[in-house]
């Protein structure tokens, strides 16, 4: 009953269409060949196509971020400088503590 109502509604909608494409009998053959041997239903293809687009966007974002890192190849060596600055600060605080106690 629902199926009949759906078919009737589709027939009414198609009846209102004025465009009637002239398709050759080989069109289905070409369409099947273009889709390949594992022709999945349209809904499934569209669903997976969206997944592929999301994955492609994520990959592009990763590549852009990696490329941004390569745009600035200079990386200062702050480790040695930071360690020597800590040593100087420790020496100053020790000397300052020892110097103020002697005064």
């Amino acid at each position: 009953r629902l199926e009949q109502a759906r078919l009737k509604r589709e027939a009414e909608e198609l009846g209102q269409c004025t465009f009637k494409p002239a398709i050759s009998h080989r069109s289905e053959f070409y369409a099947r060949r273009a889709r390949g041997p594992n022709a999945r239903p349209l809904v499934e293809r569209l669903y997976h196509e969206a997944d592929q687009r999301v994955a492609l966007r994520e990959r592009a974002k990763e590549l852009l971020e990696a490329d941004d890192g390569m745009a600035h190849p200079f990386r200062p060596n702050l480790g040695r400088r930071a360690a020597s600055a800590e040593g100087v600060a420790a020496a100053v605080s020790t000397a300052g503590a020892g110097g103020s106690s002697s005064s």
Side-chain angles (χ1 to χ4, degrees):
R1 183 173 165 190
L2 292 174
E3 182 68 20
Q4 289 176 348
R6 185 183 62 79
L7 290 174
K8 183 180 177 185
R9 188 173 58 244
E10 284 181 11
E12 289 173 0
E13 288 175 4
L14 289 175
Q16 296 173 0
C17 295
T18 57
F19 177 68
K20 306 283 186 217
I23 300 174
S24 72
H25 65 283
R26 297 196 48 89
S27 293
E28 182 63 30
F29 168 75
Y30 290 128
R32 244 185 286 119
R33 189 173 73 178
R35 284 187 212 119
N38 57 351
R40 296 181 298 198
L42 177 64
V43 174
E44 188 177 335
R45 286 196 319 257
L46 291 175
Y47 180 78
H48 290 295
E49 183 180 306
D51 289 342
Q52 290 171 348
R53 275 195 310 258
V54 169
L56 186 61
R57 280 190 196 119
E58 290 175 359
R59 179 71 178 136
K61 184 178 177 181
E62 291 172 3
L63 289 173
L64 284 173
E65 290 172 354
D67 188 44
D68 188 37
M70 297 303 291
H72 310 288
F74 174 71
R75 298 197 192 278
N77 185 359
L78 297 177
R80 198 173 82 208
R81 177 181 249 178
S84 66
E86 288 174 9
V88 169
V92 168
S93 66
T94 305
S100 58
S101 64
S102 62
S103 297

